[in-house]
């Protein structure tokens, strides 16, 4: 007996789709898994509303799409018995690293970054995808936005596409010791330094699409050009990838789930909650990624650290 087709409804012109008619807490038939994969490749981020998942069910759902990483390169305390879960809640970080944590990460260009970013691109094998579910969501504020990096690449002029196809950039997580260097959190980050050099344009391993693969959260500079040239080139690319027409915005409610292709998107965490006394708790699992390849066939290069896998290797400060 064949399973019914899922309801897939695009929600923005370049990115995002709502998927209905599926219970993520139950094992999915192969046909549904394939439909979700195809929808992810087409729409880049998928939204599932009103799901009933706990940690174990979220992990089981994600494993139908690939192997999972450890929670996060710098997380030494994921939920007990669920090392794949990374909990996103500023109160958790403040409890561990002190009340100054939020002030510090606003100053740093890496870490639990609240600007536009693609997850953990400082690893030589950035995650293939991420699945985030809301446990607690505020009644106002706290939305997340995603942008389509394939559309951003296609929006560049042909001469500029040909030029950026040839470039490579360093992505860094840690090492800026002049910023908050004395805190326990800064020491932990720098004790687990991640640095890789990636192509500025990445070829998607499954669709063959080309995507701009730089982001303000982790890209430190374009290599083999001057510092001034790097800043201007990155500013141009950042302006392109954050054009509103390439984006979609998602309103969280408890039970909502977002599944995005980390190879073809960047996302923006909320910036509108700092003055509000509200709670927001989400849980993320991450699919192990492959090593990016550029249009010239060259793979990314590991500079410091190790690949981001299921292994837990977090050095204490």
């Amino acid at each position: 007996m064949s399973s019914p087709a899922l309801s897939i409804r695009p929600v923005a012109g370049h990115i995002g789709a709502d998927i209905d008619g599926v219970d993520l807490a139950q094992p999915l038939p192969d046909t549904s898994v394939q439909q979700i994969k195809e929808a992810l490749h087409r729409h880049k981020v998928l939204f599932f509303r009103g799901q009933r998942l706990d940690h174990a069910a979220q992990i089981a759902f994600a494993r139908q799409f690939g192997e999972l990483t450890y929670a996060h390169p710098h997380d030494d305390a994921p939920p007990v018995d669920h090392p794949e879960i990374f909990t996103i809640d500023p109160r958790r970080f403040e409890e561990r690293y002190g009340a100054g944590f939020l002030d510090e990460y606003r100053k740093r260009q890496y870490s639990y970054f609240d600007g536009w970013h693609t997850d953990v691109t400082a690893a030589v094998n950035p995650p293939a995808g991420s699945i985030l579910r809301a446990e607690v969501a505020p009644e106002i504020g706290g939305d997340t936005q995603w942008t389509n990096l394939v559309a951003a690449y296609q929006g560049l002029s042909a001469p500029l596409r040909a030029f950026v196809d040839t470039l490579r950039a360093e992505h860094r997580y840690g090492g800026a010791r002049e910023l908050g260097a004395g805190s326990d959190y800064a020491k932990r980050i720098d004790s687990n330094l991640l640095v890789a050099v990636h192509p500025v344009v990445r070829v998607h391993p499954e669709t063959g699409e080309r995507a701009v693969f730089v982001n303000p959260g982790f890209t430190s500079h374009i290599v083999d050009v001057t510092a001034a040239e790097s800043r201007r080139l990155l500013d141009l690319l950042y302006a392109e990838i954050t054009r509103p027409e390439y984006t979609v915005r998602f309103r969280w409610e408890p039970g909502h789930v977002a599944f995005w292709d980390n190879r073809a998107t960047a996302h923006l965490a909320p910036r509108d909650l700092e003055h509000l006394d509200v709670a927001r708790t989400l849980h993320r699992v991450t699919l192990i990624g492959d090593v990016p390849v550029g249009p010239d066939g060259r793979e990314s290069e590991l500079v410091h650290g190790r690949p981001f896998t299921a292994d837990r290797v977090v050095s204490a400060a």
Side-chain angles (χ1 to χ4, degrees):
M1 181 178 178
S2 61
S3 58
L6 305 179
S7 170
I8 302 172
R9 182 177 63 86
V11 295
H14 284 283
I15 182 173
D18 280 332
I19 295 192
D20 296 315
V22 62
D23 181 357
L24 302 188
Q26 302 300 320
L28 300 181
D30 292 343
T31 53
S32 294
V33 171
Q34 186 59 33
Q35 288 177 62
I36 291 172
K37 286 181 179 179
E38 292 173 356
L40 185 67
H41 292 158
R42 180 177 180 182
H43 300 290
K44 315 308 182 194
V45 57
L46 306 177
F47 305 120
F48 305 84
R49 301 171 188 268
Q51 299 291 321
R52 296 180 179 274
L53 298 174
D54 57 14
H55 291 336
Q58 182 178 4
I59 291 167
F61 167 67
R63 287 198 186 282
Q64 296 171 97
F65 299 90
E67 292 302 313
L68 302 184
T69 68
Y70 178 72
H72 189 278
H74 299 132
D75 190 352
D76 62 347
V80 175
D81 298 327
H82 300 293
E84 303 89 350
I85 294 287
F86 177 59
T87 296
I88 298 168
D89 184 340
R91 297 172 303 177
R92 173 175 177 253
F93 304 134
E94 284 190 318
E95 289 171 0
R96 185 159 189 83
Y97 297 111
F101 167 82
L102 292 179
D103 290 334
E104 180 181 325
Y105 93 66
R106 291 188 195 106
K107 294 185 296 183
R108 298 165 73 91
Q109 280 199 327
Y110 50 87
S111 78
Y112 301 104
F113 189 73
D114 67 345
W116 282 104
H117 65 287
T118 299
D119 284 336
V120 198
T121 59
V124 72
N125 64 327
S130 297
I131 299 171
L132 184 65
R133 67 177 168 95
E135 178 184 351
V136 177
E139 293 186 0
I140 58 172
D143 298 359
T144 303
Q145 297 179 67
W146 286 263
T147 188
N148 184 337
L149 300 181
V150 173
Y153 175 79
Q154 294 170 347
L156 300 172
S157 66
L160 189 53
R161 289 198 303 268
F163 175 53
V164 296
D165 280 350
T166 68
L167 300 177
R168 296 169 74 82
E170 180 187 276
H171 295 234
R172 173 175 292 270
Y173 202 147
R177 295 181 180 275
E178 70 276 10
L179 296 175
S183 73
D184 288 344
Y185 180 66
K187 292 175 182 177
R188 177 174 296 279
I189 295 293
D190 290 340
S191 295
N192 296 274
L193 181 65
L194 286 176
V195 184
V197 173
H198 296 303
V200 167
V201 175
R202 177 178 187 173
V203 179
H204 195 287
E206 297 183 71
T207 69
E209 295 175 312
R210 296 185 184 188
V212 176
F213 201 63
V214 294
N215 67 88
F218 295 110
T219 306
S220 62
H221 66 280
I222 294 176
V223 302
D224 299 326
V225 301
T226 68
E229 290 169 339
S230 174
R231 286 194 298 272
R232 287 170 172 79
L233 287 168
L234 288 175
D235 284 345
L236 184 154
L237 293 173
Y238 294 159
E240 185 68 20
I241 68 175
T242 58
R243 283 171 56 179
E245 57 264 43
Y246 300 147
T247 68
V248 66
R249 186 177 186 121
F250 187 56
R251 183 88 185 92
W252 291 102
E253 294 181 13
H256 284 8
V257 174
F259 183 0
W260 66 92
D261 188 335
N262 203 57
R263 301 162 295 192
T265 62
H267 54 281
L268 178 67
R271 307 289 296 269
D272 61 348
L273 296 177
E274 296 170 5
H275 65 296
L276 301 176
D277 184 18
V278 297
R280 183 178 184 271
T281 303
L282 298 92
H283 304 286
R284 190 184 76 197
V285 294
T286 302
L287 298 169
I288 295 175
D290 52 300
V291 176
V293 176
D296 59 0
R298 289 179 63 193
E299 292 187 341
S300 299
E301 303 169 31
L302 175 66
V303 177
H304 201 286
R306 59 192 302 278
F308 186 24
T309 66
D311 297 335
R312 178 191 183 277
V313 180
V314 183
S315 299

